[in-house]
Amino acid sequence: MKTVLFAIMILASSSAAYLPSPPEGLLCDLLRDPVKAFITDQKPEFSWIVGDTNRGAVQSAFQILVCSDPDLLKKNQADVWDSGKVPSDQSVNVEYNGKNLLPHCRYWWKVRTWNGLDQPSAYSQSQEFLTGDLRRDQLAWPDESRWIKTENGEWFLENRQRAEYASIKPKKIQQNSPSVGFYDFGRAAFGTLKLTVRTTRDTDSAVVYLGERCIADSIVHKNPGRSNIGFKRSVIALKKGRHTYTVQLPRHVSHYPNSQVLAEHMTEVAPFRYAEIFCTSQVDTGSVRQQALFYYFDENASHFTSSNENLNRVWELCKYTLKATPFLALYADGNRERMPYEADAYIQQLGHYAVDREYSVGRYTNQFLIFKPAWPTEWHMHTVLMAWADYLQTGNLESVAKYYLQFKAKTLLALTETNGLISSRTGKVTPEFLKSIHFKGNNFEDIVDWPKGTPAGGKQDGYRGPTPEGERDGYVFTDYNTVVNSFHCRSLLLLSRLAGALGDSAESQYLNSRVTQVKESINTLLFDKNRGIYVDGIGTNHTSLHANMFPLAFGLVPQQYIPSVVKFIKSRDMACSVYGAQYLLDALYSAGEAQYALDLLTRESKRSWMNMIRVGSTMTTEAWDEYYKPNLTWNHAWGSAPANIIVRKLFGIEPLEPAFRTVKIHPQPGNLEFARLKTPTIRGYIYCDWLHNGNRFTFTVILPANMRGHVYLPNTIKNDLCESGQPLLKKEQNTSNVQNTVTKILPDMKVLETTESHIIISIGAGRYIFSGSLE
């Protein structure tokens, strides 16, 4: 059905001109449902999707109305702010500029736009938003988001959406005996169970087992062993008569720093897919429901299907993980700790962007982690990666401007040594340094990957891998660590771009000079030119997958050494964790190794996403298998890399300018016969459809209004590229040099560049159907 709807969307996006539709997809301070949150910004920003599917559609003006009375807004009048007609193509982050907003009040807003012909749209539907405490005092840490109770008894969060309980019917019901019923809800969720029971005595009880895995498709697995795979047992004391009960699970207790708990007004949850009910009284089987706690999620914001069924299943696994895991309204790891970690959060953030039009939870998580960080060296630097991803997606610099000095400290510049590299082991990790990065522990150290291995002859702990190599490919830790310094170089580069975006050119130039120095030091001191690969650190000849995939992923490898680095990486297979797989796949696609990357995405070995499905999990797991980490959880979003990789790398959809003003689309489909994608952006939805038929391809792209794209198309000797059946290129006479003969011959498009492998075409909004030869 989704594929049919996708095809309808492509057909509906024709080139025939017509008036713009009303704007849709309204956001207030990045919130999609701001009537269920308290906004504390005195000047919130408004964003919308321009309702114009014409080719090259660009908004030429807008008008925003903000009211304190919805009836007034229905008359197209405003008592708080009427922007008037503003000549501008800005459709994201338009800052409120009316009367001072009052705390703890309700407001309504709507917007209309004009197209390039100065034709207006109708007004959008109105959106209601709530203001909260605009003074923002008495916070536990800057930008803390608190629960606030409304006048009618509802609870909302400040500046982020809340999670809500959804009632889910079982997919399968099996009566194992007159007193034992088994219920399969199809997928695990963080939730509890609701059921209705009729009994004739006040002394009866029901015993309920909830679990993430089962035995023989009919019994809840009741012995999790050393794992943290979900399992709970609860006893319900029944009352005479017919009553409905909600299983009251014990409150989650974690002994980890910065672990998060549900608010007291919320019913506790645990991850489970299956329920087994032991009860001699009459259970109304039609009443049994999984009460799943989900953060705000739009199922229709994304869609993917392809000719590879394994890839389709991996996508669905990851997409559902990204729906089910932010139930705490921030990115936390699995059920064992319920604690935010920077690296975990970064992968979850990228995946969330790929599958839903959601921005507030990622920003809030990063702000939380600035002040409540985890222990690994590299994790701190991930906050800069998260800030950059946030800016690219939203175009909003508020958080970056406010916390710039904090992000600068997180690059770990203070650990720089005279050789240009940083080290956490040479005496610079002082109490003053730890205070500067808000770390209060005593175990700040390099991690590379996780889990570590079990020493030869030692007993395997629950958090360790079974071999000495662990998930680190036997990485040798020295004072100067290749992985750590690769992250340092990357974080400096991204911070320099953020400084430039803030208008501080001197700071940007300084950071760029540091990038040049660190990159030179890495390639001088940590690279073995004789072997053409990176070593783990100064003082060791050992070389690992990690020491090579991170420099490749971050663009540090000199061009002439990319083949030798790639060859070594491929020789190490998937010798990394589910976290490391994010950077392994990034590295492979950056080097053009699309088919090998696709093979890793779809493989069925123990180190694979298909193994997660095979063992029975419906969310990505903390490790590839219990064998590699006995105390793993089955609900860990740091294993969801394929969701963002399919969008960012297989289809090559990445913003070239903040807020997707310009998008790069560089498909690398490998041997897929077809692949179809819908993915969200703050400006609207991008649709792509790749079809490989024999020696020809067809690639359909639909961009929303107010967006331009740079599309990478195969450059072949036949030079027969077409768009909507019309020749796209022509050759000059008396020459065969494609680079000199490509010319623009169709409107709305421009040839930007040609290489031996690609022709890069600039397109505007609307639908484009490219086709040509693949030889």
Side-chain angles (χ1 to χ4, degrees):
M1 184 62 173
K2 288 182 178 178
T3 302
V4 173
L5 292 175
F6 185 91
I8 292 172
M9 177 63 201
I10 289 178
L11 292 172
S13 180
S14 68
S15 58
Y18 48 88
L19 293 176
S21 301
E24 299 177 335
L26 274 59
L27 303 176
C28 183
D29 246 27
L30 302 178
L31 297 174
R32 292 175 288 177
D33 195 15
V35 73
K36 292 184 178 180
F38 285 105
I39 291 173
T40 64
D41 186 350
Q42 297 185 27
K43 290 193 171 185
E45 289 82 22
F46 301 111
S47 303
W48 57 88
I49 297 172
V50 177
D52 192 340
T53 58
N54 286 302
R55 268 213 180 175
V58 177
Q59 170 190 294
S60 64
F62 68 82
Q63 182 177 12
I64 294 174
L65 303 179
V66 182
C67 281
S68 62
D69 181 351
D71 292 330
L72 194 62
L73 199 64
K74 290 176 183 177
K75 301 175 184 177
N76 297 334
Q77 298 175 12
D79 64 340
V80 181
W81 183 40
D82 181 347
S83 70
K85 182 180 178 181
V86 180
S88 171
D89 66 354
Q90 186 177 0
S91 58
V92 298
N93 301 314
V94 177
E95 187 174 73
Y96 174 79
N97 193 29
K99 298 177 182 178
N100 289 338
L101 296 177
L102 301 176
H104 308 294
C105 286
R106 293 179 180 269
Y107 295 95
W108 291 260
W109 77 285
K110 64 182 182 180
V111 60
R112 64 172 172 168
T113 62
W114 281 259
N115 64 13
L117 299 175
D118 202 33
Q119 297 168 316
S121 73
Y123 276 104
S124 67
Q125 294 291 316
S126 65
Q127 184 181 69
E128 183 180 358
F129 66 94
L130 307 179
T131 57
D133 176 9
L134 302 180
R135 293 179 303 172
R136 299 291 281 156
D137 53 7
Q138 298 181 348
L139 300 178
W141 54 273
D143 278 318
E144 178 194 14
S145 170
R146 303 165 296 186
W147 281 102
I148 306 294
K149 193 174 185 179
T150 66
E151 61 222 9
N152 62 3
E154 284 197 273
W155 290 88
F156 297 141
L157 285 163
E158 295 174 309
N159 304 317
R160 52 184 174 142
Q161 307 287 176
R162 67 179 184 182
E164 297 185 354
Y165 296 91
S167 184
I168 298 175
K169 296 180 180 180
K171 302 293 184 183
K172 170 188 171 183
I173 301 174
Q174 179 173 316
Q175 203 66 33
N176 292 336
S177 74
S179 61
V180 181
F182 176 79
Y183 302 81
D184 178 359
F185 294 94
R187 291 193 281 201
F190 286 88
T192 187
L193 194 75
K194 181 176 283 190
L195 67 159
T196 300
V197 183
R198 181 187 297 277
T199 183
T200 59
R201 299 183 301 271
D202 283 328
T203 56
D204 285 354
S205 63
V207 179
V208 176
Y209 296 95
L210 305 177
E212 283 188 283
R213 60 179 169 179
C214 70
I215 300 171
D217 294 326
S218 61
I219 302 170
V220 169
H221 193 297
K222 302 178 180 68
N223 182 20
R226 289 199 289 175
S227 82
N228 283 274
I229 299 169
F231 170 71
K232 293 291 182 182
R233 177 183 183 273
S234 184
V235 179
I236 303 174
L238 303 176
K239 296 180 291 185
K240 184 178 179 180
R242 188 177 189 273
H243 299 279
T244 297
Y245 304 88
T246 297
V247 173
Q248 299 298 315
L249 297 170
R251 304 306 288 190
H252 181 84
V253 177
S254 176
H255 303 290
Y256 298 89
N258 304 324
S259 289
Q260 301 298 289
V261 297
L262 288 178
E264 291 184 3
H265 66 269
M266 301 181 73
T267 302
E268 187 56 77
V269 297
F272 75 97
R273 171 181 174 177
Y274 306 102
E276 196 175 355
I277 303 172
F278 289 71
C279 185
T280 57
S281 300
Q282 182 183 349
V283 177
D284 180 356
T285 57
S287 73
V288 178
R289 295 288 185 271
Q290 182 188 52
Q291 297 298 110
L293 184 60
F294 292 127
Y295 185 79
Y296 190 109
F297 192 84
D298 180 3
E299 292 278 3
N300 297 317
S302 62
H303 172 63
F304 170 77
T305 188
S306 74
S307 55
N308 189 305
E309 186 55 33
N310 280 6
L311 190 62
N312 299 340
R313 295 180 69 188
V314 169
W315 164 270
E316 291 299 331
L317 172 76
C318 296
K319 178 178 176 177
Y320 180 71
T321 301
L322 294 159
K323 172 184 178 179
T325 51
F327 68 98
L328 292 164
L330 84 171
Y331 299 144
D333 73 343
N335 188 56
R336 181 181 66 255
E337 297 179 71
R338 297 193 183 184
M339 172 179 163
Y341 285 92
E342 295 87 341
D344 309 45
Y346 175 62
I347 296 172
Q348 193 168 1
Q349 175 193 31
L350 293 181
H352 210 165
Y353 292 152
V355 301
D356 200 8
R357 192 166 170 259
E358 164 58 42
Y359 310 104
S360 62
V361 67
R363 175 171 295 185
Y364 180 74
T365 302
N366 201 23
Q367 291 173 170
F368 176 95
L369 286 164
I370 290 172
F371 299 98
K372 298 181 181 293
W375 57 269
T377 309
E378 302 96 306
W379 273 210
H380 287 256
M381 292 181 277
H382 272 87
T383 62
V384 182
L385 276 61
M386 290 185 70
W388 175 248
D390 178 333
Y391 174 55
L392 278 185
Q393 289 285 328
T394 68
N396 188 300
L397 282 166
E398 277 190 346
S399 182
V400 174
K402 185 172 184 177
Y403 296 113
Y404 180 81
L405 293 179
Q406 311 292 342
F407 290 129
K408 186 172 183 179
K410 295 289 186 176
T411 66
L412 309 187
L413 267 168
L415 301 184
T416 303
E417 292 288 356
T418 55
N419 59 11
L421 302 177
I422 65 169
S423 175
S424 64
R425 300 160 56 134
T426 55
K428 288 184 178 282
V429 178
T430 63
E432 291 74 22
F433 165 76
L434 294 177
K435 183 178 180 180
S436 75
I437 60 171
H438 304 284
F439 184 64
K440 297 179 180 179
N442 56 8
N443 58 335
F444 180 81
E445 59 186 75
D446 305 343
I447 189 171
V448 173
D449 206 340
W450 192 260
K452 62 177 69 175
T454 300
K459 181 179 179 182
Q460 183 183 8
D461 294 320
Y463 68 92
R464 287 180 178 267
T467 65
E469 294 79 12
E471 296 296 76
R472 296 165 166 173
D473 197 24
Y475 199 95
V476 175
F477 287 74
T478 65
D479 287 351
Y480 297 98
N481 183 311
T482 301
V483 171
V484 168
N485 278 281
S486 296
F487 269 104
H488 178 54
C489 193
R490 181 63 176 172
S491 65
L492 288 172
L493 175 64
L494 299 184
L495 191 70
S496 73
R497 294 174 180 172
L498 290 172
L502 290 171
D504 193 338
S505 57
E507 173 79 350
S508 181
Q509 291 172 10
Y510 161 71
L511 291 170
N512 269 318
S513 69
R514 288 288 304 130
V515 170
T516 300
Q517 182 182 3
V518 176
K519 184 175 181 179
E520 181 179 349
S521 295
I522 289 173
N523 285 316
T524 301
L525 302 174
L526 300 169
F527 189 76
D528 184 338
K529 289 187 177 180
N530 292 327
R531 292 185 286 173
I533 53 179
Y534 293 87
V535 294
D536 294 348
I538 294 177
T540 179
N541 289 321
H542 185 269
T543 185
S544 62
L545 171 65
H546 301 73
N548 288 271
M549 71 182 185
F550 283 103
L552 184 60
F554 295 152
L556 305 180
V557 184
Q559 188 68 32
Q560 68 269 31
Y561 291 114
I562 289 178
S564 58
V565 169
V566 168
K567 181 179 179 181
F568 177 79
I569 287 173
K570 293 172 71 172
S571 76
R572 303 307 302 151
D573 195 62
M574 192 96 85
C576 61
S577 74
V578 296
Y579 151 74
Q582 170 72 53
Y583 294 101
L584 172 59
L585 292 167
D586 272 337
L588 291 170
Y589 277 107
S590 72
E593 292 288 335
Q595 186 56 51
Y596 181 62
L598 180 61
D599 291 343
L600 294 182
L601 283 166
T602 58
R603 68 194 298 188
E604 299 183 4
S605 67
K606 188 169 283 191
R607 289 183 177 273
S608 72
W609 287 275
M610 287 301 295
N611 184 64
M612 299 179 190
I613 297 171
R614 181 170 56 246
V615 299
S617 185
T618 57
M619 291 183 253
T620 55
T621 56
E622 185 179 3
W624 297 116
D625 191 85
E626 282 180 87
Y627 174 76
Y628 300 111
K629 192 173 189 289
N631 74 341
L632 88 172
T633 62
W634 272 13
N635 41 67
H636 210 300
W638 85 333
S640 64
N644 78 76
I645 291 293
I646 287 171
V647 174
R648 294 173 51 249
K649 299 302 178 182
L650 192 151
F651 277 95
I653 298 173
E654 297 187 275
L656 289 174
E657 291 184 276
F660 279 89
R661 178 177 286 275
T662 305
V663 62
K664 173 184 176 181
I665 303 178
H666 181 186
Q668 296 189 68
N671 64 4
L672 292 176
E673 294 178 4
F674 71 86
R676 301 184 183 101
L677 175 74
K678 173 187 178 183
T679 191
T681 77
I682 198 167
R683 294 178 186 270
Y685 301 93
I686 296 174
Y687 297 81
C688 291
D689 189 340
W690 171 268
L691 177 64
H692 179 191
N693 186 7
N695 66 347
R696 294 191 62 79
F697 78 92
T698 302
F699 187 45
T700 301
V701 177
I702 302 176
L703 299 185
N706 263 15
M707 184 184 293
R708 291 203 63 83
H710 294 179
V711 182
Y712 287 60
L713 299 171
N715 186 6
T716 65
I717 57 174
K718 290 191 176 181
N719 198 30
D720 61 350
L721 278 177
C722 292
E723 195 286 310
S724 296
Q726 299 298 311
L728 183 61
L729 311 171
K730 67 180 181 181
K731 286 187 176 182
E732 303 284 352
Q733 293 183 351
N734 303 321
T735 180
S736 60
N737 187 334
V738 174
Q739 187 160 352
N740 294 329
T741 62
V742 172
T743 59
K744 170 188 169 186
I745 61 171
L746 293 176
D748 305 320
M749 288 174 284
K750 179 181 179 181
V751 175
L752 297 175
E753 183 182 353
T754 62
T755 68
E756 290 185 3
S757 58
H758 291 92
I759 297 174
I760 306 173
I761 308 290
S762 172
I763 64 172
R767 181 184 67 159
Y768 299 80
I769 304 175
F770 299 103
S771 60
S773 300
L774 283 171
E775 58 179 40

